[in-house]
């Protein structure tokens, strides 16, 4: 039953992304995002095309090319991939003014008792995004569409990559 | 021995309406100083991202030829991106200008697979060409109209001339003009 709810939430997010014009999704899987990946891998009614990427920075590069080419990509990643991603964010997206939408999981959120390898990045995730002036919104499944709407608006109004932070499963 | 400029000019002549994404450092500066055109997107940083960006543009613009220009240092940094050839199967020409060194940072040697062509082939490039001399360039003459990825490993001499000017356009201007180039219905008209 829990899995069904995750897929329903994930489907709502993908449909809302498609409503805003998202054409492609790319990224590297996280267990916190497995509903999104499950739907994307099998082909979802949103019509969003999924492109697999080997690493998070390459996913951002790919998404950046899609955005330059006139598509509207979304990138999905675990927060462990943010370290790899910083170079592309700082030396491409933030200087060429090519904003992206990023869905990032919050592994290692303080108090959740997650695996130790996520502790350090998890404790600093919002701070890290704030440090680089990267706007972000924490996902609330009770208001899935509203969260997507606000994240898209953050991206368009700031012109900067905007992050939807996912705690728990989606 | 081939020069990197000769190889780049040959590929651009064969694909006049291609969008070109070039890696940071000397490859972008050389392309900018000798062959600047609206379809060129120079990466100023993000080493290793020329091919991912090129594949992204190709994914957003089906049918449009796209060229990724890497050096041996930048492809060594992101061999994982070679798998995008099989993942996307789009008409991207992935050119690696291999002079055996990180010339932009002073000529330090690079660490590269012994057989880069075999790595590209194994990663999913259906066609891989190695060019070492002017006569080899005939192998890349028929680039127009291709529908599948091509990997070109070009063994080139170290650059002897100065790198030339730094790229003058602001990054945002580079994006603006490449978008206009992609939107133009007759991209050839923007050449030269």
């Amino acid at each position: 039953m829990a899995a069904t709810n995750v897929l329903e939430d994930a489907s709502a997010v993908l449909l809302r992304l498609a409503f805003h014009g998202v054409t492609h999704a790319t990224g590297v899987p996280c267990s916190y995002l497995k509903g999104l990946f499950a739907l994307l891998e099998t082909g979802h009614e949103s019509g969003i095309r999924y492109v697999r990427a080997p690493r998070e920075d390459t996913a951002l590069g790919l998404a950046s090319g899609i955005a330059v080419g006139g598509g509207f990509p979304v990138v999905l990643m675990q927060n462990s991939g943010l370290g790899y991603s910083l170079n592309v964010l700082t030396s491409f997206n933030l200087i060429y003014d090519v904003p992206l939408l990023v869905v990032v999981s919050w592994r290692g959120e303080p108090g959740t008792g997650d695996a130790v390898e996520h502790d350090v990045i998890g404790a600093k995730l919002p701070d890290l995004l704030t440090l680089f002036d990267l706007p972000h919104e924490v996902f609330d499944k009770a208001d899935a569409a509203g969260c997507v709407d606000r994240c898209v608006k953050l991206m368009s109004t700031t012109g900067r990559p905007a992050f939807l932070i996912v705690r728990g499963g989606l | 021995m081939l020069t990197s400029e000769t190889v780049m000019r040959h590929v651009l002549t064969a694909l006049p309406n291609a969008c070109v994404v070039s890696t940071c450092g000397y490859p972008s500066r050389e392309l900018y100083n000798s062959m600047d055109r609206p379809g060129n997107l120079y990466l100023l940083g993000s080493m290793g991202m020329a091919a991912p960006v090129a594949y992204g543009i190709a994914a957003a613009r089906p049918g449009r030829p796209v060229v990724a220009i890497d050096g041996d240092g930048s492809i060594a940094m992101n061999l994982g991106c070679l798998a995008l050839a099989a993942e996307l199967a789009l008409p991207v020409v992935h050119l690696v200008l291999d002079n055996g060194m990180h010339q932009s940072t002073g000529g330090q040697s690079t660490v590269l697979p012994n057989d880069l062509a075999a790595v590209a082939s194994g990663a999913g490039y259906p066609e891989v060409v190695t060019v070492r001399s002017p006569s080899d360039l005939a192998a890349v003459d028929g680039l127009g109209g291709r529908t599948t990825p091509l990997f070109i490993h070009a063994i080139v001499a170290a650059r002897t001339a100065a790198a030339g000017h730094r790229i003058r356009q602001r990054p945002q201007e580079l994006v603006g003009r490449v978008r206009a180039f992609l939107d133009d219905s007759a991209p050839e008209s923007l050449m030269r």
Side-chain angles (χ1 to χ4, degrees):
Chain A
M1 192 169 125
T4 305
N5 287 340
V6 165
L7 289 178
E8 282 171 7
D9 295 339
S11 184
V13 167
L14 292 179
L15 287 171
R16 200 62 186 175
L17 288 168
F19 167 81
H20 286 284
V22 168
T23 55
H24 293 76
T26 184
V28 180
C30 173
S31 61
Y32 278 24
L33 306 176
K34 65 183 171 192
L36 290 169
F37 280 96
L39 296 177
L40 288 168
E41 281 198 319
T42 51
H44 183 251
E45 61 181 304
S46 63
I48 295 173
R49 164 105 197 265
Y50 174 49
V51 182
R52 297 171 297 178
R55 213 169 78 163
E56 293 83 354
D57 53 353
T58 293
L60 284 174
L62 194 54
S64 297
I66 291 169
V68 168
F72 186 173
V74 62
V75 179
L76 315 176
M77 67 169 73
Q78 185 175 93
N79 52 345
S80 57
L82 261 185
Y84 287 139
S85 301
L86 274 179
N87 184 42
V88 182
L89 290 167
T90 58
S91 75
F92 187 82
N93 302 98
L94 291 173
I95 65 167
Y96 288 73
D97 290 347
V98 175
L100 295 173
L101 213 49
V102 184
V103 177
V104 62
S105 65
W106 195 352
R107 298 300 307 266
E109 182 185 359
T112 60
D114 202 348
V116 66
E117 66 271 25
H118 300 294
D119 283 356
V120 175
I121 190 82
K124 297 292 184 189
L125 175 62
D127 291 346
L128 180 66
L129 295 172
T130 301
L131 182 64
F132 287 91
D133 295 324
L134 294 165
H136 48 276
E137 158 100 16
V138 176
F139 181 71
D140 173 8
K141 62 180 162 188
D143 184 23
C147 290
V148 171
D149 293 351
R150 283 189 291 279
C151 207
V152 170
K153 194 171 179 187
L154 281 174
M155 185 189 83
S156 59
T157 54
T158 63
R160 303 172 76 83
F163 289 72
L164 186 59
I165 298 174
V166 176
R167 34 157 63 123
L170 179 59
Chain B
M1 211 170 175
L2 287 165
T3 66
S4 47
E5 185 181 332
T6 299
V7 177
M8 287 196 288
R9 195 173 292 283
H10 199 88
V11 170
L12 264 68
T13 302
L15 287 171
N17 66 349
C19 178
V20 179
V21 184
S22 55
T23 189
C24 57
Y26 282 6
S28 273
R29 280 171 74 174
E30 187 175 50
L31 185 66
Y32 169 71
N33 282 287
S34 60
M35 283 162 268
D36 186 42
R37 52 196 277 283
N40 293 355
L41 179 60
Y42 310 109
L43 294 188
L44 303 168
S46 288
M47 189 167 167
M49 290 300 136
V53 172
Y55 273 98
I57 292 172
R61 299 282 176 150
R64 168 72 68 156
V66 184
V67 177
I69 300 179
D70 260 316
D72 47 307
S74 61
I75 191 62
M77 189 177 261
N78 192 5
L79 291 170
C81 79
L82 294 171
L84 294 177
E87 175 68 4
L88 284 161
L90 290 164
V92 170
V93 174
H94 192 169
L95 169 64
V96 174
L97 301 167
D98 180 2
N99 63 7
M101 65 178 75
H102 289 286
Q103 194 166 11
S104 307
T105 54
Q108 302 86 351
S109 60
T110 48
V111 56
L112 201 64
N114 284 332
D115 190 343
L116 182 63
V119 170
S121 179
Y125 274 89
E127 194 178 347
V128 177
V129 176
T130 300
V131 296
R132 299 171 184 277
S133 67
S135 61
D136 293 338
L137 288 173
V140 294
D141 273 344
L143 287 177
R146 55 178 308 115
T147 57
T148 54
L150 170 69
F151 188 86
I152 304 174
H153 184 199
I155 314 296
V156 298
R159 295 174 187 83
T160 51
H165 295 291
R166 286 185 184 278
I167 291 150
R168 272 184 279 259
Q169 292 97 338
R170 291 182 302 114
Q172 296 90 339
E173 291 177 284
L174 294 171
V175 171
R177 69 176 200 162
V178 86
R179 282 183 169 147
F181 174 85
L182 288 167
D183 285 341
D184 195 282
S185 56
E188 290 84 349
S189 67
L190 294 168
M191 286 289 296
R192 295 184 186 90

